[in-house]
Every structure is written in C-alpha cells, then in structure tokens.
C-alpha cells in the first residue's frame, strides 16, 4: 500500500450503476479488483450498432476522454475486461444503442490524517537480521532521515531518502563503510514533511568467524 493513501473501496465491491437512458434490460456490473486504482471520476457506458453488431464503449466523463471502444457484449466463459480505475466491467444481455449507464469511483484519501496514520506503520525487515547483507526500511514517505545508533548512544550511520519509493536499504555498514557488529540498534526515522518521528529497534546477528575455519 503506498504511503499516505487510503481507499474506501475493497476488493470485490460492486459499484452502484445508474441507467441514465434507454430501454435495454441487459446488465452492467462494475466490480472492484484494485481499490488503490480508484480515480475519483465518473464513467459512462455507451453502445454503438453501426458496425452491424452491438458494441460498447467506456467514456471518462470527468476528463472527457474515451477509455475503451468496440467491446462486444459479454457472453462467454472468459472473465469481463479490466478497465481504467481497477474495475472489472461486465456488460451483457439485451442492450440498445440508446442505452447509457453511469458509475463513479471515489477519490483516494491522501489527507494529512491518513499520512500520519501511515507514519505509524514504518518498519524494517528482516528483524533480526541474520547473515543478510542489508535490511530494508519500508512504508516510508517521500522524504526521510534515518539516524541509526548503537545502545551506547553512538551514531553509527545516517541514511537519507528523497524520492517516491517507499523503501530504503541499509547495507549494515557504518559511516566508514565497515560492517557493524552484532547487537541491538536504535533507528530514529524522521519524516520532516509530516513532523513525525518513528523509533525502531533492530537486532543484527553477524556470523561468528573462528581462526582456521572457512
């Protein structure tokens, strides 16, 4: 889930369909397959019989843009097509060229409240780190500063990120590019754009090396 984003839809939800005009008795069903693709706009399903067989098209009304066209009515065992907005759109039954159907997708919530809730889900894995060459901090906002301390309070490494990725890796080395030892580390994750801070505890277990053993 992207940082700071929340949707009101769930996988498998059916959207409310409005039959705007026409006398068709067919079926139009919009099923959510990707809640995070919700576009916050309104769509209309139109029909065209000029080619001899009835075909349907999908119009993004909010942006006045044709999404798909020339689609046959669904009648076989294959699933309906996936269209813009993460929707499985089933159009079937008895329709006419005059029919128009409409449905709307809600806007994703990216408010400051949602972003602050996301800040509480910042984490690091694997934890404990045992023989890995790096660990990954996840669910991060665009801009973060991560200060890593040992239990004595000494700063071991500072990591910075300023990009859209929600991940940031640490290769378990200090500021001098030397491998850190086994032990507990405190990771102070600062998110300056949100005025939020998350404290994580990370255990590192380095492999033991014995003289004469390879």
């Amino acid at each position: 889930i992207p940082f700071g984003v929340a949707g009101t839809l769930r996988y498998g939800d059916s959207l409310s369909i409005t039959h705007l005009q026409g006398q068709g008795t067919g079926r139009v069903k919009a099923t959510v397959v990707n809640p995070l693709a919700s576009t916050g706009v309104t769509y209309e399903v139109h029909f065209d019989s000029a080619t001899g067989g009835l075909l349907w098209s999908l119009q993004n009304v909010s942006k006045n843009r044709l999404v798909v066209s020339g689609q046959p009515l669904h009648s076989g065992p294959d699933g309906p097509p996936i269209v813009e907005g993460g929707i499985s759109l089933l159009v079937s039954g008895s329709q006419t060229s005059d029919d128009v159907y409409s449905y709307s997708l809600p806007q994703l919530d990216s408010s400051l409240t949602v972003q602050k809730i996301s800040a509480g889900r910042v984490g690091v894995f694997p934890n404990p780190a045992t023989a890995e060459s790096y660990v990954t901090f996840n669910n991060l906002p665009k801009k973060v500063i991560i200060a890593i301390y040992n239990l004595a309070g000494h700063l071991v490494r500072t990591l910075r990120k300023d990009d859209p990725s929600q991940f940031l890796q640490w290769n378990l080395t200090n500021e001098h590019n030397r491998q850190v030892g086994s032990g507990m580390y405190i990771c102070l994750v600062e998110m300056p754009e949100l005025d939020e801070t998350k404290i994580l505890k990370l255990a590192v277990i380095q492999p033991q090396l014995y003289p004469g053993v390879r």
Side-chain angles (χ1 to χ4, degrees):
I1 301 176
F3 182 92
V5 174
T8 58
L9 299 174
R10 297 177 298 176
Y11 175 83
D13 283 351
S14 294
L15 300 179
S16 175
I17 303 292
T18 302
H19 194 174
L20 297 178
Q21 68 178 52
Q23 300 300 316
T25 58
R27 184 185 185 197
V28 174
K29 182 179 181 181
T31 305
V32 177
V33 294
N34 183 2
L36 294 178
S38 187
T39 54
V41 301
T42 298
Y43 296 90
E44 287 183 356
V45 179
H46 294 257
F47 298 87
D48 179 16
S49 59
T51 58
L54 196 65
L55 303 175
W56 63 269
S57 62
L58 183 66
Q59 182 83 16
N60 183 325
V61 178
S62 300
K63 298 183 179 179
N64 192 26
R65 177 169 55 83
L66 184 65
V67 178
V68 294
S69 62
Q71 298 295 309
L73 298 180
H74 187 267
S75 60
D78 296 334
I82 308 299
V83 297
E84 182 178 278
I87 297 298
S88 170
L89 188 59
L90 173 68
V91 183
S92 62
S94 178
Q95 308 284 1
T96 73
S97 58
D98 294 327
D99 285 299
V100 178
Y101 296 83
S102 174
Y103 65 88
S104 298
L105 287 168
Q107 183 70 48
L108 294 175
D109 187 355
S110 57
S111 63
L112 182 60
T113 299
V114 171
Q115 294 183 56
K116 286 182 174 291
I117 292 174
S118 286
R121 294 197 294 264
V122 171
V124 60
F125 67 91
N127 189 6
T130 59
E132 286 82 7
S133 58
Y134 60 86
V135 295
T136 302
F137 294 91
N138 67 312
N139 201 58
L140 299 173
K142 179 178 182 294
K143 189 172 184 178
V144 295
I145 303 171
I146 303 178
I148 303 170
Y149 298 86
N150 60 22
L151 289 184
H154 300 142
L155 179 63
V156 174
R157 184 74 181 270
T158 300
L159 307 173
R160 301 176 185 273
K161 186 184 82 70
D162 190 1
D163 59 56
S165 171
Q166 65 168 315
F167 302 104
L168 180 60
Q169 292 183 339
W170 177 38
N171 62 0
L172 301 181
T173 62
N174 61 21
E175 297 288 3
H176 304 289
N177 203 33
R178 295 179 179 176
Q179 202 75 16
V180 300
S182 298
M184 291 294 299
Y185 293 85
I186 304 300
C187 308
L188 186 66
V189 184
E190 297 183 9
M191 295 163 267
E193 294 181 333
L194 301 176
D195 194 27
E196 289 285 332
T197 300
K198 179 72 179 290
I199 298 177
L200 302 172
K201 295 180 180 179
L202 171 65
V204 176
I205 304 174
Q206 297 285 20
Q208 296 295 321
L209 298 179
Y210 300 94
V213 178
R214 295 185 179 181

